[in-house]
Amino acid sequence: MKLFTFKAPSSSGNGVHVGALDATGSTAVSFTRASRGDARFASMLALVRAGSAILDEAQSILDSHPADAAYDLAEVTLLAPLPDPPRFRDCSLFIEHLAPAFLGMARTLAAAAEDPDAEYERLVATGDFGRPAVFAERVIYYNADHLSVSGPGDEIVAPPDTHHVDYELEIAAVVGTTGRNLTAADAGAAIFGYTIFNDWSCRDLQTEVMASRLGPARGKDFDGANTVGPWIVTADELGDPYQLKMSARVNGETWSDGSSASIEHTFEDAVAYLSRGRTIHAGELLGSGTVLSGSPIEIGKRLKDGDEVELEVEGIGVLRNRLRLSR
């Protein structure tokens, strides 16, 4: 199923619903309305926490829903499918992106120098902009702000202290099981579904604060910085998440092309690692990190005010947003 959170048309009360696409792909079926007050369908987080068995009930509703629970997809407003995850961690599961991204950050830092090329060479020679070996050895992650989740169609307004914002083309997994010490074999069953993730990044701020060696911090921390959507595709429907074409377009022009087949660590690896001696919770979001070529800083391009960014992942869909930079 493709599950999403949406606002119904104003003529229908404009309430927030949890639902899914019907077989035609053009109708949004509201589980919230069809279930007549069942708390398990009150929000996406409640649905995920209800466990995998609820998907059978959801499918039954989808197959035979009351007429007042159906809406034309073109008339509803899609929101972030999981707007209130209890935790959000972005993992470096793709690692090929890191080397060109770090070099791109060195180039950005050197741009203000009197001789940018010489300063770039000096920065690279320090060794601070290489990819540390630890990224290949284990799942590296940082805690993203679970209170700054945005959704499809939202305008992304950059904070006033940045003038260099990038998209990052990622997949995010939704954890469906609360557990501890899950093995890699168990971890597959613990993944509820997948969505697209745009990890908006203020490169000028990120380059400055990463000199602290404490992570991206303010460089990836602003209202709406974590965009997910347009929906969650359940694991059983998506199939193999490691054979998906991934692309990004800016104003209709393709800037990024990649494949999830290039992943270094799987989501199962991440679940097993994150639950080792610790509790992982149903409803958590786990970002994949950026696929190779999946960000403008790698390819010498730069977003400008008003650009429309579309991230597309095969089998999931298209996540579309417009960027606003301070003038």
Side-chain angles (χ1 to χ4, degrees), residues 154-264:
D154 286 348
E155 188 172 77
I156 306 303
V157 180
D161 52 350
T162 185
H163 301 287
H164 186 177
V165 177
D166 276 355
Y167 65 79
E168 291 202 354
L169 173 58
E170 305 192 23
I171 303 171
V174 181
V175 177
T177 301
T178 296
R180 183 179 167 95
N181 293 323
L182 300 175
T183 66
D186 297 330
I191 296 173
F192 179 85
Y194 301 88
T195 189
I196 303 171
F197 173 35
N198 192 338
D199 173 28
W200 299 95
S201 303
C202 305
R203 295 302 187 195
D204 42 1
L205 303 182
Q206 182 184 359
T207 301
E208 292 173 0
V209 300
M210 286 189 71
S212 69
R213 301 185 184 276
L214 291 176
R218 197 168 177 82
K220 294 175 180 279
D221 183 21
F222 62 92
D223 294 347
N226 301 303
T227 307
V228 293
W231 34 61
I232 296 166
V233 180
T234 53
D236 61 322
E237 175 161 326
L238 185 63
D240 186 355
Y242 308 120
Q243 295 295 326
L244 307 177
K245 294 179 182 177
M246 303 173 65
S247 61
R249 295 181 293 275
V250 178
N251 302 324
E253 177 187 355
T254 298
W255 280 20
S256 302
D257 266 314
S259 169
S260 64
S262 64
I263 208 159
E264 177 78 11

Side-chain angles (χ1 to χ4, degrees), residues 283-308:
E284 286 193 41
L285 286 173
L286 304 178
S288 65
T290 310
V291 71
L292 182 64
S293 88
S295 188
I297 199 165
E298 297 176 62
I299 55 178
K301 292 182 178 288
R302 189 156 173 170
L303 295 174
K304 63 183 185 300
D305 179 58
D307 280 348
E308 181 181 73

Side-chain angles (χ1 to χ4, degrees), residues 114-183:
E114 184 175 334
D115 185 340
D117 289 340
E119 177 63 6
Y120 172 74
E121 294 299 330
R122 187 193 71 78
L123 289 171
V124 171
T126 66
D128 291 339
F129 293 88
R131 187 187 75 197
V134 69
F135 282 97
E137 295 166 356
R138 65 186 66 186
V139 175
I140 301 300
Y141 68 92
Y142 70 89
N143 290 302
D145 187 355
H146 68 293
L147 301 177
S148 293
V149 174
S150 52
D154 286 348
E155 188 172 77
I156 306 303
V157 180
D161 52 350
T162 185
H163 301 287
H164 186 177
V165 177
D166 276 355
Y167 65 79
E168 291 202 354
L169 173 58
E170 305 192 23
I171 303 171
V174 181
V175 177
T177 301
T178 296
R180 183 179 167 95
N181 293 323
L182 300 175
T183 66

